């Protein structure tokens, strides 16, 4: 059955691949990102493949912007019943060098963003008696050098996911998390740059520690999100799926 889906941070990377995958699955997709024009490519690819998509500009950490975005989704695509909280940022630094601003920015986008979006969308899911929420966690939730802020946020999202599963299950709504390992996107490209490495060398370094001996692609993650959003996954809730080319949990 077609649904209206929202993917945050859908302009590029994992969010873009997820938006395209959910559209291919038959859903109308609202692609939300900080800059509406940055969403144009994702929306264009979905439309040229025969799908339905719109671009919406919103900062997921801004309450008023989130409310305006959801109003637009309702009026242009219909009530949203699928939500993928994918928007994310990095502000990596070792603890002794991490600033208050580095900490707050990461908490704000990942945790406050997922909270505001989920609170707004659950109202429509509860009314429909059906819904799917998927949160993007990370293998960094298990601890990662230089990422005290990000690891905390990604672990926090796992607790958030399990709580949503418990609260919303009776309304036909499931909540799950996908925790990617190393995925080739602009985010990891920027990490390589920060470390003074070429992206190819950074990929090779990560592949060395990956049992399936390759780097992950945004499509690998989109496939897992698609499963959690499917009818078939209706009895799967509160789970964290590590999609990391090996057992990282
Ligand atoms: P990316 O940096 O390529 O894309 C993130 C998108 O989120 C960008 O388009 C950005 O503009 C948007 N965004 C950032 N802040 C926002 C805000 N406040 N409101 C709305 N949109 C905002 O990142 P990538 O690699 O595609 O990652 C997507 C998600 O997957 C993130 O949550 C990330 O933490 C997570 N992840 C990524 C991994 C990787 O190896 N690339 C590994 C594990 C998790």
């Amino acid at each position: 059955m077609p649904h209206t889906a929202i993917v945050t941070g859908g302009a590029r990377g994992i969010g873009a691949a997820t938006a395209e995958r959910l559209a291919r699955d038959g859903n109308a997709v609202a692609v939300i990102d900080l800059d509406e024009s940055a969403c144009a490519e994702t929306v264009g690819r979905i439309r040229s493949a025969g799908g339905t998509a719109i671009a919406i500009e919103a900062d997921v950490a801004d309450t008023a912007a989130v409310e305006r975005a959801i109003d637009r989704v309702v009026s242009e695509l219909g009530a949203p019943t699928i939500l993928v909280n994918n928007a994310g940022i990095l502000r990596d630094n070792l603890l002794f060098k991490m600033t208050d601003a580095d900490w707050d920015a990461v908490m704000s986008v990942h945790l406050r963003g997922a909270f505001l979006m989920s609170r707004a969308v659950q109202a429509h899911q509860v009314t429909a008696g059906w819904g799917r929420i998927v949160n993007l966690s990370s293998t960094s939730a298990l601890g990662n050098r230089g990422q005290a802020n990000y690891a905390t946020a990604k672990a926090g999202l796992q607790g958030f996911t399990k709580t949503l599963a418990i609260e919303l299950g009776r309304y036909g709504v499931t909540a799950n998390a996908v925790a990617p390992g190393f995925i080739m996107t602009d985010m990891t490209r920027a990490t390589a740059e920060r470390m003074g490495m070429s992206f190819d060398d950074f990929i090779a370094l990560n592949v060395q520690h990956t049992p399936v001996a390759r780097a992950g692609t945004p499509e690998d993650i989109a496939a897992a999100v698609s499963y959690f959003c499917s009818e078939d996954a209706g009895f799967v809730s509160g789970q964290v799926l590590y999609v990391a080319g090996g057992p990282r949990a």
Side-chain angles (χ1 to χ4, degrees):
M1 198 180 102
H3 297 279
T4 295
I6 295 175
V7 180
T8 68
R12 67 185 202 189
I14 293 170
T18 300
E20 290 177 61
R21 174 63 195 251
L22 292 180
R24 269 210 313 283
D25 291 345
N27 304 292
V29 182
V31 179
I32 295 185
D33 212 295
L34 287 172
D35 176 2
E36 186 162 334
S37 62
C39 302
E41 279 184 30
T42 310
V43 167
R45 281 195 299 271
I46 290 174
R47 289 184 182 159
S48 7
T52 302
I54 58 169
I56 298 182
E57 180 170 310
D59 174 351
V60 295
D62 175 340
T63 308
V66 165
E67 281 165 11
R68 279 196 305 274
I70 303 300
D71 286 349
R72 264 196 69 191
V73 175
V74 172
S75 66
E76 293 178 36
L77 294 179
T81 49
I82 295 176
L83 170 64
V84 183
N85 286 309
N86 164 84
I89 57 167
L90 295 179
R91 293 289 183 273
D92 294 357
N93 235 327
L94 291 174
L95 182 62
F96 78 102
K97 286 196 278 192
M98 190 171 283
T99 65
D100 295 16
D102 291 336
W103 179 269
D104 290 345
V106 167
M107 295 307 150
S108 182
V109 177
H110 295 269
L111 292 179
R112 183 180 164 84
F115 159 64
L116 292 177
M117 289 297 305
S118 303
R119 188 180 60 184
V121 170
Q122 60 78 33
H124 299 286
Q125 296 174 319
V126 168
T127 304
W130 190 94
R132 300 282 187 261
I133 297 175
V134 181
N135 297 313
L136 266 290
S137 180
S138 167
T139 49
S140 294
L142 304 167
N144 200 24
R145 186 178 167 81
Q147 293 195 318
N149 49 2
Y150 184 80
T152 302
K154 291 308 199 186
L157 279 172
Q158 296 190 9
F160 181 64
T161 301
K162 290 166 195 284
T163 302
L164 296 189
I166 291 166
E167 290 190 14
L168 299 174
R170 73 189 60 187
Y171 305 106
V173 179
T174 67
N176 292 285
V178 175
F182 178 81
I183 309 297
M184 295 177 289
T185 68
D186 290 329
M187 182 180 269
T188 43
R189 185 181 289 277
T191 302
E193 248 172 55
R194 219 173 25 250
M195 293 169 72
M197 291 174 94
S198 75
F199 195 35
D200 284 346
D201 287 349
F202 191 49
I203 290 170
L205 183 72
N206 278 281
V207 167
Q208 269 174 27
H209 305 289
T210 306
V212 302
R214 70 167 176 86
T217 64
E219 290 72 25
D220 287 323
I221 304 307
V225 175
S226 167
Y227 168 67
F228 280 136
C229 293
S230 70
E231 294 298 336
D232 280 350
F235 203 56
V236 180
S237 198
Q239 301 304 303
V240 179
L241 181 62
Y242 284 84
V243 182
R248 291 286 288 274

